[in-house]
Amino acid sequence: MNVNQFPDRIIEIDQEHYLYFGGTAYLGLPVNKNFQELVIKNIRNWGTTYGSSRSANIKLNAYENGETFLAHHIKAESAVTISSGMLAGKLVIDELNKNTDCFFHFTDIHPAIKANSLPLFLNDDINPRLLDSNSEKITILTDSVPSFQTKAIDLSVLAKISDHKEITLVIDESHSLGILGKNGCGIHSEINLPIKRKITVSSLGKAYGLNGGVIASDASFINQIKNLDTFISAAGMNPAFVQTLADASALYKIQHQKLLKNLNYIDRQLIKNDTIKFDKSYPLIYLENEDLIEKLKENKIIIANFKYQENERNLNRIVVTANHLHEDLDKLIGVLNENI
């Protein structure tokens, strides 16, 4: 389906209007007028792009402003912005490759943080290598919210790992930053486990409405990233966008509250059913029943329905944003309740 404008809550297809419950603009910011004004103001001050290295002799204050906001918001010691979430993940893996003896992964992790790794679980039990007495530096890779799930990953299994292992945890928070936690701070600050280091990587092009990515961790690791040849030789995230992160801090809170109100509204009215996976703290609703997709379309409702990665089943998900109105939600809930 091709459309000629940003797909917010309503899109036009073949000259017909449909309610849209897809995409990843969870806080509804790309079409938010106040947010757009902040972006426009910063483009006028910082230009449309800045193609120089972040290590050049001229330093733009926009980066310090936006990265300070992100570090405080995520509750990490330090943060650095990157031109994309995918590159953020790749830089982290490149740096950790230097000192990691073995990588382990939870299931269905995003390609941004994939490495030559072993599964964390074998036959539903923790990988025995994680329990032995061999001293190793290991890195655990995970998405904050796994595909087809609506709750944050359960990391309690990490407490079972042998204390002979020095653990680094890498979390892709692209679908939790801006959504989960207080004011959308994500899950980084809530992780309290016996690990040496935790690292968050995330796209900023989803909840936060700006092309770019972030890495958040302790100051020592962030400095390591800043010294990587790939970081030094690449242009940074658009400085106008990085400054907007700092300037939009109050707006992020407002939109986060709107999103939570919409999710609570759905929770009060949606009839719970095993074929519909929904949690009131998370803006994705997964449908097990493929027939529901056609029923929704018949009622002029379009959702996300596509194969995200090769050899995976179709991703059939309803995406709720801060911009959806109660009348939109009523129509959606009505169709779901009638067809379960």
Side-chain angles (χ1 to χ4, degrees), residues 227-245:
N227 286 319
L228 283 172
D229 287 345
T230 305
F231 179 85
I232 292 170
S233 60
M237 183 176 168
N238 185 328
F241 290 174
V242 183
Q243 181 64 52
T244 299
L245 288 165

Side-chain angles (χ1 to χ4, degrees), residues 20-63:
Y20 184 58
F21 287 89
T24 58
Y26 303 120
L27 299 184
L29 290 165
V31 295
N32 183 286
K33 298 301 182 188
N34 292 329
F35 189 71
Q36 289 178 346
E37 287 303 317
L38 289 176
V39 174
I40 291 167
K41 178 196 77 172
N42 283 316
I43 285 174
R44 287 181 176 139
N45 191 53
W46 294 106
T48 58
T49 189
Y50 186 66
S52 181
S53 169
R54 288 285 305 272
S55 296
N57 56 316
I58 297 298
K59 312 292 184 187
L60 305 190
N61 288 335
Y63 290 111

Side-chain angles (χ1 to χ4, degrees), residues 89-106 109 113-120 127 129-130 136-142 168-170 199:
K90 296 302 182 187
L91 286 175
V92 166
I93 298 301
D94 284 351
E95 180 60 24
L96 293 176
N97 259 323
K98 298 173 182 176
N99 295 302
T100 295
D101 294 313
C102 190
F103 288 88
F104 294 85
H105 63 265
F106 280 81
I109 58 173
I113 56 169
K114 280 188 176 174
N116 185 15
S117 58
L118 300 176
L120 188 72
N127 193 314
R129 179 165 172 174
L130 293 167
E136 291 183 294
K137 293 182 178 180
I138 65 168
T139 296
I140 309 291
L141 308 169
T142 184
T168 294
L169 175 66
V170 178
I199 304 165

Side-chain angles (χ1 to χ4, degrees), residues 131-146:
L131 304 176
D132 65 34
S133 59
N134 294 327
S135 296
E136 291 183 294
K137 293 182 178 180
I138 65 168
T139 296
I140 309 291
L141 308 169
T142 184
D143 287 356
S144 56
V145 183

Side-chain angles (χ1 to χ4, degrees), residues 63-250:
Y63 290 111
E64 181 178 351
N65 297 337
E67 289 164 358
T68 297
F69 160 74
L70 285 170
H72 289 167
H73 183 59
I74 296 169
K75 299 180 175 63
E77 192 173 85
S78 186
V80 64
T81 53
I82 311 294
S83 59
S84 74
M86 181 66 79
L87 182 58
K90 296 302 182 187
L91 286 175
V92 166
I93 298 301
D94 284 351
E95 180 60 24
L96 293 176
N97 259 323
K98 298 173 182 176
N99 295 302
T100 295
D101 294 313
C102 190
F103 288 88
F104 294 85
H105 63 265
F106 280 81
T107 56
D108 298 325
I109 58 173
H110 192 276
I113 56 169
K114 280 188 176 174
N116 185 15
S117 58
L118 300 176
L120 188 72
F121 295 101
L122 290 174
N123 300 319
D124 297 326
D125 286 324
I126 189 170
N127 193 314
R129 179 165 172 174
L130 293 167
L131 304 176
D132 65 34
S133 59
N134 294 327
S135 296
E136 291 183 294
K137 293 182 178 180
I138 65 168
T139 296
I140 309 291
L141 308 169
T142 184
D143 287 356
S144 56
V145 183
S147 297
F148 303 100
Q149 301 299 316
T150 58
K151 292 185 179 179
I153 189 79
D154 181 2
L155 296 171
S156 59
V157 67
L158 301 190
K160 298 178 181 179
I161 295 175
S162 165
D163 58 11
H164 294 278
K165 313 297 181 184
E166 183 180 291
I167 304 170
T168 294
L169 175 66
V170 178
I171 320 136
D172 187 329
E173 287 223 55
S174 296
H175 294 279
S176 58
L177 189 58
I179 301 166
L180 298 180
K182 184 177 180 181
N183 295 320
C185 68
I187 70 170
H188 182 98
S189 62
E190 298 172 1
I191 299 167
N192 185 19
L193 290 161
I195 58 179
K196 172 77 182 288
R197 168 174 280 156
K198 56 184 175 180
I199 304 165
T200 278
V201 301
S202 179
S203 166
L204 297 169
K206 297 177 172 42
Y208 288 113
L210 297 162
N211 286 343
V214 61
I215 303 168
S217 187
D218 56 89
S220 175
F221 183 76
I222 297 303
N223 284 333
Q224 289 174 232
I225 292 295
K226 290 179 179 178
N227 286 319
L228 283 172
D229 287 345
T230 305
F231 179 85
I232 292 170
S233 60
M237 183 176 168
N238 185 328
F241 290 174
V242 183
Q243 181 64 52
T244 299
L245 288 165
D247 295 346
S249 59

Side-chain angles (χ1 to χ4, degrees), residues 246-259:
D247 295 346
S249 59
L251 189 54
Y252 287 138
K253 291 180 183 179
I254 292 169
Q255 294 303 105
H256 184 248
Q257 286 303 308
K258 287 181 180 178
L259 177 61

